[in-house]
Amino acid sequence: MRTVKHPEERKNDILNAAQVLFSTKGYQQTTIIDILKAVGIAKGTFYYYFTSKEEVMDAIIDRIIKADIIVAKRIAADPNLPVVDKLFHIIMAQSPKQGSNKQGMIEQFHQPSNAEMHQKSLIKAIKELSPVLADVIQQGVEKGTFQTKYPQETVEFLLASAQVIFDEGLFQWTAEESIHRALAFIDLLESSLHAEKGSFSFLLKRLTGEGDENNQ
Amino acid sequence: MRTVKHPEERKNDILNAAQVLFSTKGYQQTTIIDILKAVGIAKGTFYYYFTSKEEVMDAIIDRIIKADIIVAKRIAADPNLPVVDKLFHIIMAQSPKQGSNKQGMIEQFHQPSNAEMHQKSLIKAIKELSPVLADVIQQGVEKGTFQTKYPQETVEFLLASAQVIFDEGLFQWTAEESIHRALAFIDLLESSLHAEKGSFSFLLKRLTGEGDENNQ
C-alpha cells in the first residue's frame, strides 16, 4: 500500500535525499533521476515541489541557514549569558559537525563550477545572520562591553570579510598564514567594537581549525 | 597583403576585441566566432593563443588587475605624498571610468551565471592589491599615522568586506542603506588602523557612488 505523506514531509524527504547525494556524489554529478530513486517517488511528484535541481539546492541552503538562525536567536535571547559568551556560542554553533551534511555542502561550494551557489549562500548567510549578531552587539553597547555607532553594518563587514578570507576554497593559507589571519581578525573585532583586549581570543582555535573535532 | 603581427600584439588585439564584445554583447552571448570576426583572424590563430572563451576572460581580468597594480605601486612609492593621500589616490584609481570597458566587465560579473568569474576576480584583486596597500599602511605605521600589528592581513579583511558589501550585484542597498554602510566602513577603517577620526572621510562620496562621473 502506498503511504500518503503530508506535502511538507514529502518535500523534506526530497531535500534530505538530495542533501545526502549532493554531499557524497557531488552536486554536478547528481541527477534528478538519482533523487527520485533515493526518495522512491515518481518524476511528477518531484516536479510538483521543484522545477529544477538548482531549486532543490536553494531550498537546502535556505533550510541550513534557517536552522542556524533559530539556534542563534535562542542564544541571543538568553537573559543569563554575557554578550561575549553569546557571540562565542552563536559562532561555534555555525561550525558544521565533522562528517555532517552541512560540511558536505560546504565542500560542494568549493567546486569552481558551484560558484553561483556559493555566492548565494554567502549573501543569504550575511543577510540572515547579521541582524541576530547586531542585536547581541547592541546589547553589549547598552552594557558598555562594546562601543559602536553601527552594529548592523559593522557585523555585515565582519561577516563578509571572515566568510571570504577563511574560506578554504578561495584561499589556501599555510598553517602560519592562517594563524596570522586569525590573530588579525580578532584584532579587527576588538578594535571595531572597542572591546576589551582578549574578548575574542576564543576565536583563535575556531579560526585556525584547531579543536574542530570537538565542536557541537 | 597580410600584416604579420608580433604574437604579443596579436594576443592583445584578441583581448581588446573580446573585452568590447563581453561588455557590450555580454559574456554568455559572445561566441568565439564573434571574436574571430571582430579581430579578423582564423580559428587556428585564436586557438594558438587561447583554449577557450573562459581563458580569454581570465586574461582580461589579469590585464585589468595588472594595470591597476602598476598605478597603485607608483602612487605607493611617491616620496612626497602623505600616506592618507596615497590611499585616497590608490582607491580612486581603482574606480572604473564611466562607460569604460572595465565598467562593462564589472557589469558582466553581476550576472549570476558569471559567478565563477566574479569570484576569481575578487580573489585575484585581494591577492594582488593587498601587498601594495599593506606597504602604504606600514609607511603610515612608521610615521605614526596608523597603528596595527597586522597591516597585510587587516588590508585583506578590509578589501574582502568592501568588495562584498559594496558590490551592487550582490546587495541592492537603498540610498540611505548605502550611506550607512559607507559611514560604517569609514569607521571600521579608522578603528582598525587606529587612524585619526576623519582620515577616511574622503571615501564617503566614493562609496555612495556620488561624484563618480568625475573620476579619472
Side-chain angles (χ1 to χ4, degrees), chain B residues 127 141 153 177 207:
Chain B
K127 281 188 182 161
V141 169
E153 295 83 359
E177 286 170 341
L207 293 174

Side-chain angles (χ1 to χ4, degrees), chain A residues 112 115-116 118-119 123 150 153 156-157 161 164-166 170-171 173 180-181 183-185 188 191-192, chain B residues 112 115-116 118-119 123 127 150 153 156-157 161 164-166 170-171 173 180-181 183-185 188 191-192:
Chain A
E116 187 179 343
H118 190 177
Q119 189 172 288
I123 303 311
Y150 312 99
E153 296 81 0
E156 287 166 6
F157 286 109
S161 66
V164 171
I165 300 297
F166 295 116
L170 304 180
F171 291 94
W173 305 118
H180 285 166
R181 267 121 204 116
L183 290 170
F185 187 67
L188 185 64
S191 60
S192 61
Chain B
E116 187 179 343
H118 190 177
Q119 186 173 291
I123 303 309
K127 281 188 182 161
Y150 311 100
E153 295 83 359
E156 287 167 8
F157 286 108
S161 66
V164 171
I165 300 297
F166 295 116
L170 303 181
F171 292 94
W173 306 117
H180 286 166
R181 267 119 205 117
L183 290 170
F185 188 67
L188 186 64
S191 60
S192 61

Side-chain angles (χ1 to χ4, degrees), chain B residues 34-72:
Chain B
D34 292 332
I35 301 172
L36 302 183
K37 278 187 193 160
V39 196
I41 52 169
K43 222 177 192 172
T45 313
F46 176 89
Y47 284 105
Y48 174 77
Y49 295 99
F50 301 100
T51 62
S52 65
K53 190 174 79 166
E54 204 197 340
E55 220 178 272
V56 176
M57 184 48 132
D58 280 349
I60 292 175
I61 295 172
D62 274 10
R63 197 170 67 159
I64 293 174
I65 294 178
K66 261 188 199 148
D68 281 351
I69 298 301
I70 289 171
V71 175

Side-chain angles (χ1 to χ4, degrees), chain A residues 149-150 153-154 157, chain B residues 166 176-190 197 201 203-204 207-208:
Chain A
K149 281 206 282 187
Y150 312 99
E153 296 81 0
T154 305
F157 286 109
Chain B
F166 295 116
E176 202 194 340
E177 286 170 341
S178 172
I179 291 171
H180 286 166
R181 267 119 205 117
L183 290 170
F185 188 67
I186 290 167
D187 196 68
L188 186 64
L189 280 171
E190 288 171 356
K197 195 109 201 87
S201 300
L203 276 171
L204 189 59
L207 293 174
T208 54

Side-chain angles (χ1 to χ4, degrees), chain A residues 60 95 163 167 171:
Chain A
I60 292 175
S95 321
Q163 292 210 65
D167 188 310
F171 291 94

